[in-house]
Amino acid sequence: MRIRARRAAEGHEGYGSHEGRAAHEGPGSAGGAGSGTRPRRAAGRLRGWGGVSAMAVACAVTAAVVLLPLAHATPDTGGPAVRKPASMAVAPAAPWSLTDTCQDPEASLRPSDVDGAAIARIKAAGKLVAGVDQNSFRWGYRNQTAEGSRLDGFDIDLVKAIARDILGDENAVIYRAIPTSQRIPALQEGRVDIVVRTMTINCKRLEDVAFSTAYFEAGQQVLAPKGSAITGYDTSLKDKRICFAAGSTAEAALKSQSYGSVPVTVANQLDCLVRLQLGEVDGIITDNALAAGQAAQDPSVQLVGSPFTREFYGVAMNKDASDLVRRVNKVLENYRAGGNDSPWMKAYLKHLQPVLPGVSAPPAPKYRDG
């Protein structure tokens, strides 16, 4: 009851969780101790929280709730930088790639602006329904401004570009917050038109949904408290409680090779950060692009080891919406165009460069026929 009352008072909508709002507030709070932190000390480290009521929410059990629309986004105003993650240039293939049944999963349908059934349905509705995150700092998160809480981030800017192209209005969007495990069901059940939520393209997911060309490259990496004995995705994980989101590529990696770790599964990836802050887990495995933002929020944690996969984010859509896939790929062609003056690079510099420096260009698109 306390969760619902607090969210209603603040105008927040979406999924309730154990997350503790560590990403909703953006940067600005002081850090604290790492693994083993007691709840009393952890309370002071959770961003945007205060007093006993904050800890009550932080310790709440994840509640099952329905998809709800979110507010529109406004620009972010910067944040702290963190140490650049290790290069992904030599990262090996994902450990589950040996069981992949497709070749070149990042190859998508060639771009086109021809309307089909999916585009016609979106135009008739007058709104693009987008499945997004509201908990991933710099990607899709609640940005606290003087005007209130607004949805913001790199993924949100891409949603706006798609809406602007299809409907002529970047604000003609209904945002629906969905947990990691609900990204595919939301598309299959028609609850959303697209999912733009740091979703990795892989062969297994291509059995259920369609993807655009890649719009960002990332890799799985370990996030741990400073001073932790964990050194990366290796034998140092033995007997350690390692957190990951259900339905994520981190889950698949640990199923393939756990190194004797104890798995802790949550609905939303940000829940792992709060569990780490509360001393309930010893480490997190997630995309380093997401983890870099979390390390920027909490100076007591850091990325360790090197990325152990190379992964590409894509816009996910229903498998039957081939016209929408082609249209999104057309948007991405324009979004990448212009080098340092491209909309893609401007979005990167605005949202991601402070926490994930060193990216010089978007991944090159790959196409297939049929």
Side-chain angles (χ1 to χ4, degrees):
M1 297 299 293
R2 187 183 297 274
I3 292 177
R4 293 183 181 273
R6 182 177 176 84
R7 287 176 180 263
E10 295 178 347
H12 286 188
E13 299 173 338
Y15 280 89
S17 72
H18 188 287
E19 68 207 21
R21 296 187 188 277
H24 292 182
E25 309 298 336
S29 298
S35 180
T37 303
R38 294 181 180 178
R40 179 186 298 273
R41 297 180 63 189
R45 297 168 51 198
L46 302 183
R47 298 181 180 277
W49 284 61
V52 176
S53 63
M55 283 308 302
V57 180
C59 297
V61 176
T62 301
V65 291
V66 296
L67 297 168
L68 294 172
L70 303 177
H72 295 300
T74 54
D76 180 38
T77 56
V82 297
R83 175 175 58 83
K84 179 182 176 181
S87 171
M88 289 179 287
V90 295
W96 57 90
S97 63
L98 294 177
T99 61
D100 278 349
T101 57
C102 67
Q103 294 182 342
D104 215 3
E106 292 84 34
S108 183
L109 296 174
R110 296 187 182 279
S112 172
D113 59 0
V114 176
D115 290 0
I119 297 293
R121 184 178 64 253
I122 293 169
K123 287 185 174 181
K127 296 284 185 180
L128 175 70
V129 184
V132 298
D133 198 354
Q134 65 171 351
N135 301 319
S136 293
F137 184 46
R138 298 286 180 172
W139 289 94
Y141 72 106
R142 288 289 186 173
N143 183 14
Q144 298 293 336
T145 69
E147 292 75 28
S149 173
R150 305 295 180 89
L151 200 61
D152 200 6
F154 188 87
D155 281 346
I156 305 307
D157 278 8
L158 180 53
V159 171
K160 289 182 176 182
I162 296 169
R164 186 165 54 247
D165 184 90
I166 296 175
L167 297 170
D169 180 3
E170 68 176 25
N171 294 315
V173 181
I174 296 174
Y175 294 102
R176 297 192 184 277
I178 52 177
T180 305
S181 61
Q182 286 296 305
R183 292 178 297 189
I184 289 175
L187 286 166
Q188 292 177 322
E189 296 164 12
R191 288 179 274 158
V192 296
D193 299 312
I194 60 175
V195 168
V196 187
R197 195 188 181 283
T198 58
M199 189 169 179
T200 299
I201 305 167
N202 63 41
C203 295
K204 177 63 176 175
R205 289 173 177 166
L206 282 170
E207 295 175 5
D208 300 313
V209 297
F211 280 99
S212 70
T213 53
Y215 68 85
F216 201 86
E217 180 179 347
Q220 294 293 305
Q221 197 167 352
V222 180
L223 187 72
K226 292 179 179 177
S228 169
I230 296 174
T231 58
Y233 184 63
D234 53 34
T235 55
S236 67
L237 298 180
K238 183 175 174 57
D239 298 326
K240 298 294 192 297
R241 299 162 298 175
I242 302 301
C243 190
F244 53 85
S248 66
T249 47
E251 180 179 30
L254 283 172
K255 284 182 177 179
S256 174
Q257 174 57 272
S258 70
Y259 288 109
S261 60
V262 179
V264 178
T265 309
V266 296
N268 285 295
Q269 196 277 329
L270 185 69
D271 295 346
C272 285
L273 180 60
V274 174
R275 288 179 182 268
L276 188 65
Q277 290 171 325
L278 295 174
E280 297 176 358
V281 299
D282 303 303
I284 300 168
I285 293 182
T286 186
D287 300 359
N288 62 351
L290 297 174
Q294 294 180 5
Q297 293 174 274
D298 187 344
S300 73
V301 301
Q302 64 180 358
L303 287 162
V304 295
S306 298
F308 58 91
T309 65
R310 290 186 70 190
E311 301 175 13
F312 296 89
Y313 296 159
V315 179
M317 290 153 280
N318 191 284
K319 289 193 73 171
D320 295 330
S322 59
D323 60 318
L324 181 57
V325 175
R326 293 181 185 277
R327 186 62 167 267
V328 170
N329 284 338
K330 174 181 175 293
V331 173
L332 286 170
E333 284 281 288
N334 296 330
Y335 206 64
R336 300 183 191 97
N340 289 335
D341 293 325
S342 69
W344 188 97
M345 184 56 69
K346 289 178 179 177
Y348 164 74
L349 294 173
K350 172 184 172 184
H351 297 293
L352 302 179
Q353 194 274 339
V355 299
L356 195 67
V359 178
S360 59
K366 297 180 181 180
Y367 295 111
R368 61 178 173 82
D369 295 310

